[in-house]
Amino acid sequence: MSGLLYAVAAWLLFVGMYGVVTSRHLVHLVLCLSVAQSSSYVLLIGIGYRAGAIAPFFSDRSPKKPAVDGVVQALVLTDVVVGATVMALLLALALQVQKQTHSFDPWDARPMRG
Amino acid sequence: MNVLIAIVLVVLAAAGTAVVFTREQPSQAIVLSFYGLVVGLLLVLLQAPAVALSEIVVGSVAIPMIVLLVLARAHGAR
Amino acid sequence: MSERTRRIVFVVAALGVAAILLWALAGLPSFGSHESAYARLLNSTTAKRRHVTDVVTATVFDYRGVDTFGEELLLFAAVVGATLLLREQREELHEPPSDQGLGRVAVSMSSAVRLVGVAIIGPAFVFGLSIVAHGHLSPGGGFQGGVVLASVALIAYLVGEYRTLERSAPFAVAELSEGTGAAGYAVMGTLGLIGGAAFLQNVLPLGQLGTLASGGTILFGDVTVGLAVTGALVALFHEFLHQTLVVRRARAKRGSR
């Protein structure tokens, strides 16, 4: 059980990277990158987890109760929203490439010259 | 609780693999939407409700929507 | 480099990274057993030091406020980049928005979807505002409330048409909100400098634990980031919807292509 979370995070990273490397469609590439990015979220929040602890919100509990790590949650929280915006930027880039070369295949986009 | 987390982790690995190996385009956006939901579920189980809220809205709604718009634009302007 | 070579290079590199990654993961404490000293300190003292009950939001806007500043500017830069990429090009025509495009069939909206959508817009909007406002008390904050508010704009498009979105959440208002949010966070930081302390230090009165007016600059941070995130996502929706529904490629190609 303990190794399962770390193994799943590593698996998501490698499968996402494999998708990026062997992709033949720009949108598929961006979504595989999104999977690889979410592996870091899973790993970080998993590191902060404590068995039997509550979420770090103390409006109805005393702060003396054991709670999970709030710092990694803060890091991942901002990352989720900003990462989605960056994915949108990448999709805009993919759309522009499609407008120029009429294809979403990364192998069809020729390098620019001159 | 630990058994539940283990089950959701296995589903997560399967869903991530499905996103990568779905190469046809509108289908992958839907699979990504499901994947975002599973990540949100895992985050709730790991006692991170605030993060799960952002992840579900962003990963299941905003990004698949933008993907579908990009595909509709590319398909419709030929 | 051919496709086969790419795969081989990837496998070799992945094996190298996997070896190092497994070595690192093996050194981690077992799942659910370790508590970092920093986390324990923050969890136990945030209520006393900052008079807020949400440790995550206090960390985002107060203890690690500089990281959030960087992330918010990253958000801003990404939206500026996307707007720049999807700007008007010379050979594109702008026609009135229509769901029907070339090779694309417009699906007629069912009344059930429209009814549920209209019923849910008001409560969802209030819910988003509540999440932003109560960020320092319960799970929520600027980022979460911002994305919920942006999804309300999406529901408005879904139950109506592009003109509905244009009129209720116009692009100019979204850009204004985003800029105000990003600049507002910087202004909040300089409040610390004016108050004689460090940049982004919490210098406003802390108020009483458990009420809305508590936490000093944390509530201010929630509101500015909520404005920024809502504006950013609504601006992105506008850009992509504009591309799909309004922009058409010109029939006659001008120039040499």
Side-chain angles (χ1 to χ4, degrees):
Chain A
M1 170 60 204
S2 160
L4 183 62
L5 185 126
Y6 303 143
V8 166
W11 169 254
L12 285 175
L13 175 69
F14 287 119
V15 101
M17 281 291 113
Y18 173 76
V20 170
V21 165
T22 61
S23 170
R24 294 299 293 251
H25 195 290
L26 283 174
V27 174
H28 172 261
L29 196 151
V30 170
L31 297 186
C32 292
L33 192 63
S34 164
V35 169
Q37 190 171 16
S38 69
S39 80
S40 71
Y41 308 152
V42 167
L43 184 62
L44 273 174
I45 304 275
I47 288 179
Y49 179 68
R50 246 187 106 197
I54 60 168
F57 304 98
F58 301 107
S59 48
D60 50 348
R61 318 270 192 110
S62 135
K64 302 281 185 300
K65 286 185 89 89
V68 301
D69 193 334
V71 178
V72 280
Q73 285 191 26
L75 297 177
V76 172
L77 184 60
T78 59
D79 197 5
V80 162
V81 176
V82 170
T85 324
V86 175
M87 289 295 141
L89 174 66
L90 290 177
L91 286 168
L93 200 54
L95 185 59
Q96 285 300 99
V97 169
Q98 193 273 340
K99 278 199 232 175
Q100 302 292 326
T101 63
H102 302 288
S103 151
F104 270 122
D105 196 331
W107 292 85
D108 280 350
R110 293 193 179 70
M112 294 187 178
R113 297 188 194 290
Chain B
M1 183 57 103
N2 266 342
V3 173
L4 200 52
I5 294 181
I7 295 175
V8 174
L9 279 172
V10 170
V11 172
L12 184 72
T17 317
V19 173
V20 170
F21 285 107
T22 309
R23 301 214 178 226
E24 300 82 35
Q25 256 331 60
S27 322
Q28 198 191 15
I30 310 299
V31 181
L32 184 79
S33 183
F34 171 69
Y35 177 74
L37 202 60
V38 178
V39 173
L41 180 61
L42 176 68
L43 291 174
V44 168
L45 288 176
L46 290 178
Q47 310 292 332
V51 189
L53 183 52
S54 319
E55 169 64 38
I56 288 177
V57 177
V58 147
S60 294
V61 174
I63 292 301
M65 143 108 179
I66 294 182
V67 167
L68 289 175
L69 281 175
V70 167
L71 293 171
R73 167 68 170 95
H75 184 66
R78 215 168 296 143
Chain C
M1 182 183 290
S2 78
E3 201 168 331
R4 183 150 186 80
T5 324
R6 260 170 94 97
R7 275 181 214 239
I8 295 177
V9 170
F10 170 71
V11 169
V12 168
L15 285 174
V17 172
I20 300 180
L21 188 61
L22 259 67
W23 179 39
L25 290 176
L28 284 175
S30 100
F31 176 60
S33 66
H34 177 72
E35 188 189 27
S36 87
Y38 189 33
R40 187 169 48 236
L41 177 70
L42 287 186
N43 283 339
S44 52
T45 61
T46 300
K48 272 195 301 292
R49 282 166 176 268
R50 296 287 185 268
H51 298 200
V52 294
T53 53
D54 182 344
V55 177
V56 175
T57 304
T59 309
V60 165
F61 292 112
D62 192 328
Y63 297 120
R64 308 296 317 171
V66 178
D67 297 342
T68 309
F69 191 38
E71 298 264 10
E72 194 179 340
L73 292 182
L74 195 71
L75 185 96
F76 188 72
V79 175
V80 168
T83 308
L84 205 62
L85 277 172
L86 299 175
R87 69 193 180 282
E88 271 184 41
Q89 318 244 290
R90 247 177 302 143
E91 63 268 3
E92 280 172 353
L93 292 174
H94 286 229
E95 287 172 11
S98 82
D99 286 333
Q100 184 93 26
L102 304 163
R104 189 168 73 226
V105 177
V107 180
S108 66
M109 182 64 60
S110 94
S111 359
V113 173
R114 200 167 293 201
L115 178 67
V116 171
V118 167
I120 218 173
I121 281 186
F125 187 66
V126 174
F127 183 56
L129 289 180
S130 157
I131 291 187
V132 171
H134 290 87
H136 53 294
L137 298 173
S138 60
F143 287 95
Q144 295 90 319
V147 297
V148 171
L149 288 173
S151 70
V152 170
L154 202 54
I155 299 178
Y157 165 66
L158 195 65
V159 302
E161 43 175 12
Y162 186 50
R163 282 194 197 92
T164 318
L165 182 65
E166 263 184 336
R167 281 200 205 115
S168 57
F171 185 60
V173 169
E175 277 196 319
L176 183 67
S177 157
E178 188 197 355
T180 312
Y185 198 86
V187 164
M188 179 185 108
T190 53
L191 278 182
L193 290 175
I194 296 176
F199 184 67
L200 281 176
Q201 185 149 348
N202 199 341
V203 291
L204 291 179
L206 288 176
Q208 190 196 2
L209 178 68
T211 61
L212 256 186
S214 59
T217 55
I218 294 178
L219 181 59
F220 196 2
D222 265 330
V223 171
T224 54
V225 165
L227 279 175
V229 169
T230 313
L233 286 179
V234 173
L236 279 177
F237 290 154
H238 264 285
E239 281 296 327
F240 283 98
L241 279 171
H242 187 79
Q243 281 292 312
T244 308
L245 300 178
V246 174
V247 170
R248 306 263 179 270
R249 202 149 33 97
R251 300 285 176 268
K253 293 270 179 68
R254 287 182 266 285
S256 61
R257 181 65 64 94

